Structures are given as structure tokens and as C-alpha cells.
Amino acid sequence: MSERPQNDDPDPNEAFDELVEAETDHPQALDSAQAGETPSPDLAVIEAGSRTLRAQAGPPQGDGIPARPADPEVDRALRAVEDELAGRWGETKLDPSVQRIVALLDILGEPQRAYPSIHITGTNGKTSTARMIESLLSAFDLRTGRYTSPHVQSITERISLDAAPISAEQFIETYRDIAPYVEMIDAQQEYRLSFFEVLTAMAYAAFADSPVDVAVVEVGMGGTWDATNVIDGDVAVVTPIALDHTDRLGETPEQIAGEKSGIIKKDATVVLAQQPVDAASVLLKRAVEVDATVAREGMEFGVLSREVAVGGQMLTLRGLGGEYPEIFLPLYGAHQAHNAAVALAAVEAFFGVGSDHARTFDIDTIRSAFAAVSSPGRMEVVRRSPTVVLDAAHNPAGARAAAEAVTEAFGFSRLVGVVGASADKDVRGFLEAFEPIFAEIVVTRNSSHRAMDPDELAAVAVEVFGAERVQVEPRLDDALEAAITLAEEEGEFSGAGVLVTGSVITVGEARLLMGRS
């Protein structure tokens, strides 16, 4: 580890220990203890960050990710809502039924029927695609509502209006508005409404209250039985399908596609990203069954050309209505170019381009919309010298895309990986995707109870990388500092970098530690 500079400030280690003690006494930590879990000192890391890392990263920059409320009363009220939601079934514990969410929305007056919607499923790229669709719709002066998951740093990110997360105050008010009805359904059903079901109802209610012109909705998991699947999406989008959540969705792309095809509704338009052949056949069969119109990447739309550019890439896209040249996308990687093509086709389909009439959108409007896109935690640079990049890849397919993107966009002479993964993922496949590009890897963990134990993760990493390339740092702030130190060993102008990956939670906590709040 690099030595801390000597000064007259209080010892940052003592200050950090005080924060650990304070956060361990936080109600969320006490709830974990009562549930039989050990309160994690990483909770303090999430809330306060590391003084050293923040100083190294420089001043925070605006990126649409909200910080904790500045008003202590609002912050306490938000924490109370978060604690109540956290006491429900988590997002990974599912009962394959939409019965509870249907019952709740029924007594709320079916708010999800108040606006048209674009529904998005798939394995990777859903959130980035949703953000691009949102930006395009906003460019046409439509009021948008976006519902995505999981969040990077703040729970309020999940529900956005006009391309910005709703305020903490509105999040609290929305929860309080539906809470009495949630309690009614809880009392009637065999199982209480889950965390994700309540959030979904909140999103649909907030969109109706605004009101929005169109909702952009990302599924939580799968499709058929997902809580979001109580909408009749005018456009159904399926991003690339790969193996993930195999214990719940199926062990083959074909089986997973069967579950995800459930969002395709009668007379909708289906926008399909490039898919494995067996997955594509399932999706196309479903489209035929419900008389849906199909638009396929590589056939009806796609990426005609792409070039790496400063801060992103320059694209020529073919949409359903024609070509769109010189599109600057401020995101890295071929996978994001394909996401952009899917997003463009989805918005064209929403407006009837390619079916009701043949035309292209105004090119300047499209260029402005894509140029304004951001996707925090997706190949995101949070520091320079050495460069630190965050990417929320968490399965082998995502890891392969991230490895290709970081190699193409940055060309690091030496890359150090920081990996904190969930225990229920294909960790070996994930690490194998990065083995060719990581000179060394620092394994760690995030604060989630789903996080893989660092020693167990290290054991797998040693088998993939060899013991001499693996370092273990159980606490994320130490892992980041260790990786930065390793990158700095080659000198200021060496071109070394750090990639933090493995989980959305790991990336979110790293953003806070690096001063992004």
C-alpha cells in the first residue's frame, strides 16, 4: 500500500474506524444482525468512502446519480422507507406469479394502463438500452418515465421522470401513498409483496401521477412472471440472451428465451438484438403466436459502421426507416453500439416507422439524443493517472464484452482488475473472460449478503490466473488502493489502468469511494 501523507489532520484510520462503529450501529446493520448476518464494516465504506481515495479521485462530477438527501429529516424518512423495503423478499427470491402485483395495481386503479410503454428484457445491456431509448424519446419532447434495476448507488435511481431520478421527497411520498394498499394485499396473500413488487407498483403509480407520455420499463428478471409484466408494451425489446440466473430461468439460452418471451404481447412490435439461434427461434415462435411484428438486428436494422472516438465511438446506424450517419455515442464498446441500434429501432417502432410509414427521423435530433446518453457504471472512467474504469459486468457474456471494450477503447499497457462478485454467479467463467487482459487481479467483496467470500473467490482466481497474479483485500477501499498502487508501479506515463467489475453493487460502492456521489 502507498503511504499516506503526513499532515496535522486527524488520523484518517481513526476517523474511518469511528465511521465503521457508527454504521455498524445503523438500523440496517442491526436488522442484518437480527437476521443472523454479521454486520459488515463495508457499510461504513459505502456511506462515507475512503478519504484517501476521494482525494485521489478529485472533485465529484454530475452524472445524474443522486447523493443522499442533504436534509437530515428527508434522509431519515428515506432510510425508513429503505429499511421497510429491505425487510421484504429480496430481488433474487421469487415466487413465479404476478398474482400479488396484479391485486395491488387493481386496487390502485391500474396506473400502468394510463400510458403506452416500451418493455425491455434480455440478459445484458437492458439498462443502457433503456437509457438510450429514454434519451431518444425525450428528444422528441415526450415526457418519459423510466424504471430500471438494480440501482448503482441510490434506490431512487430506479424510478426516473424526464430522464432524472425522482427526488427523495417524491420517492417517500409515493411509497406513503401506496403503503396502506400494500398492507391490504399483504394481509390477503400467502406471501407478502416483495421488495421488487412494491417498487414496481411505486414506479407505475409515479408515472401515472406525473403523468408521463411513455414509460420505458426494464424487467427485473426473466419476463413471464416478472412483476413488471402487467403492462402491455407497445414495443417489446429483447437484448442479447446469455446464461445468467440459470437456477431460476433455465440452463440453456432456449429455456431462458422461453421465460423472457413472455413480455411479447398481442399486436406489439418486437425488437430483437442479435441472439443465439435457439433463443431466436423461441422468440420468433412467440411473436407468431401473438401476431407481433418482428424487427431483427442484422436484418431490418443494425450497426453499419463504428469507429473509436475520443470519449466514445462514432456510428452509422441503419434504422427501420433508413440510415443515420455520424452518430456520436459517448459510451465504449461494440456492445454499446449494438444497444444503440436496438434503442433506435425501438423508438422508430414506437412511432410506427417501418410499418405505418417509411421515413427517417431528423438526423440532428437523433445525434443530439445519443450524444446526451450516459450509463453510470458501464465502462465509466472515474479517475485519471492511473485511469480507473468501472463496469458492472457480472456474468461471462458481460465480462467478454467488457474485456473487448476496455482493450479497444483504452489500450492499457498493463491492466489491474478489482473483482467483487456475487456467490450465485458463474465466477469461473467470468474470471476466464478477463484472464487474457488482467496482468494482476485484486479480489474483494462488496457489502451485499450475496457477495462471494474473498477467500473463496481468491481460490477460483488462483486456478485461473496463478497465485502470483492474485491479491486478496477483503475490504473494497483497500482493494481499490492496492490496485491503484500496482498500476502506479510502472510510472506516471506507463499507460497502466484499473478495471473494477464483478457486480453492480461493487461498482456502485466503488463510485462512492472514488468520489462520485
Side-chain angles (χ1 to χ4, degrees):
M1 300 294 176
S2 58
E3 294 184 359
R4 300 180 187 272
Q6 297 296 317
N7 53 43
D8 295 328
D9 291 339
D11 184 349
N13 288 318
E14 292 180 5
F16 186 80
D17 289 340
E18 291 175 3
L19 288 166
V20 169
E21 182 178 356
E23 289 302 326
T24 303
D25 290 336
H26 186 274
Q28 286 180 322
L30 294 176
D31 288 344
S32 298
Q34 291 165 359
E37 301 174 11
T38 301
S40 171
D42 285 337
L43 193 57
V45 177
I46 304 167
E47 295 294 338
S50 158
R51 179 181 301 179
T52 301
L53 288 168
R54 282 180 180 271
Q56 292 173 342
Q61 300 179 22
D63 50 28
I65 298 294
R68 295 298 309 185
D71 186 326
E73 290 297 324
V74 175
D75 189 49
R76 277 192 288 271
L78 180 59
R79 287 188 186 278
V81 174
E82 290 172 327
D83 289 344
E84 203 292 316
L85 292 170
R88 296 177 173 275
W89 270 7
E91 289 173 278
T92 59
K93 186 172 183 179
L94 304 175
D95 176 44
S97 170
V98 293
Q99 178 179 337
R100 291 177 302 279
I101 186 69
V102 167
L104 175 58
L105 292 173
D106 182 56
I107 61 174
L108 291 175
E110 295 197 310
Q112 78 278 14
R113 309 290 181 200
Y115 37 79
S117 57
I118 297 175
H119 205 179
I120 306 170
T121 190
T123 302
N124 293 311
K126 296 187 294 296
T127 297
S128 292
T129 302
R131 284 176 166 270
M132 293 181 200
I133 291 172
E134 174 188 56
S135 186
L136 287 163
L137 293 170
S138 297
F140 289 100
D141 296 324
L142 293 182
R143 184 158 208 213
T144 58
R146 173 172 53 83
Y147 181 51
T148 54
S149 60
H151 56 274
V152 177
Q153 286 177 204
S154 170
I155 194 171
T156 60
E157 294 167 39
R158 295 177 180 239
I159 305 173
S160 289
L161 294 170
D162 292 328
I166 64 174
S167 66
E169 292 86 349
Q170 187 172 1
F171 188 90
I172 295 162
E173 181 182 0
T174 302
Y175 174 77
R176 289 174 175 170
D177 284 346
I178 73 166
Y181 305 100
V182 170
E183 292 174 3
M184 289 173 58
I185 300 303
D186 284 344
Q188 296 171 4
Q189 300 291 325
E190 181 180 1
Y191 304 111
R192 297 173 71 213
L193 287 150
S194 70
F195 169 91
F196 189 72
E197 287 169 333
V198 175
L199 272 175
T200 300
M202 289 173 60
Y204 290 161
F207 297 162
D209 287 344
S210 293
V212 301
D213 296 314
V214 55
V216 182
V217 178
E218 173 189 337
V219 304
M221 186 187 299
T224 301
W225 302 116
D226 190 74
T228 64
N229 200 32
V230 292
I231 56 173
D232 293 321
D234 299 75
V235 179
V237 176
V238 187
T239 65
I241 290 175
L243 298 182
D244 200 8
H245 301 295
T246 54
D247 56 331
R248 299 172 179 85
L249 303 180
E251 296 181 351
T252 67
E254 182 179 15
Q255 292 173 340
I256 294 172
E259 171 63 21
K260 294 182 182 293
S261 69
I263 75 163
I264 302 173
K265 305 297 172 55
K266 183 174 176 58
D267 298 326
T269 299
V270 188
V271 177
L272 299 180
Q274 291 179 343
Q275 304 289 348
V277 174
D278 50 354
S281 64
V282 171
L283 296 166
L284 292 171
K285 181 180 178 181
R286 168 67 178 178
V288 170
E289 290 172 350
V290 298
D291 293 323
T293 302
V294 178
R296 300 156 294 178
E297 184 181 7
M299 299 290 287
E300 287 77 23
F301 69 93
V303 179
L304 294 182
S305 68
R306 55 181 294 270
E307 296 179 1
V308 176
V310 176
Q313 53 193 309
M314 191 66 71
L315 311 175
T316 296
L317 303 178
R318 185 177 77 242
L320 303 180
E323 292 187 14
Y324 297 84
E326 298 179 359
I327 303 293
F328 176 69
L329 180 68
L331 302 175
Y332 299 105
H335 61 295
Q336 294 289 19
H338 291 287
N339 289 340
V342 170
L344 176 60
V347 173
E348 286 182 311
F350 180 78
F351 283 109
V353 173
S355 57
D356 297 341
H357 47 266
R359 66 180 177 88
T360 57
F361 291 135
D362 175 70
I363 186 62
D364 290 333
T365 302
I366 298 302
R367 287 171 178 160
S368 296
F370 276 119
V373 168
S374 67
S375 194
R378 277 76 179 178
M379 226 22 77
E380 179 186 18
V381 177
V382 292
R383 173 197 161 123
R384 297 286 186 183
S385 187
T387 299
V388 177
V389 182
L390 310 180
D391 193 82
H394 55 273
N395 55 46
R400 289 190 292 271
E404 292 173 5
V406 75
T407 299
E408 174 188 75
F410 298 97
F412 292 122
S413 61
R414 179 167 174 254
L415 182 61
V416 180
V418 174
V419 176
S422 297
D424 58 349
K425 300 296 182 180
D426 179 4
V427 173
R428 179 178 295 276
F430 180 88
L431 294 176
E432 287 174 346
F434 282 116
E435 190 279 330
I437 69 167
F438 283 168
E440 294 168 281
I441 180 173
V442 182
V443 299
T444 187
R445 64 163 294 156
N446 57 54
S447 65
S448 170
H449 67 278
R450 295 171 54 208
M452 190 172 191
D453 179 81
D455 290 332
E456 294 179 9
L457 180 55
V460 180
V462 166
E463 293 177 2
V464 174
F465 291 86
E468 70 283 355
R469 294 166 64 189
V470 178
Q471 182 172 334
V472 182
E473 293 290 349
R475 213 166 71 178
L476 182 57
D477 63 328
D478 290 336
L480 291 170
E481 189 168 351
I484 290 169
T485 299
L486 288 170
E488 288 175 335
E489 286 178 354
E490 289 198 356
E492 183 179 356
F493 303 106
S494 67
V498 174
L499 176 63
V500 184
T501 186
S503 164
V504 175
I505 298 172
T506 299
V507 164
E509 294 175 7
R511 286 183 99 254
L512 276 175
L513 288 165
M514 300 303 295
R516 291 297 179 100
S517 59

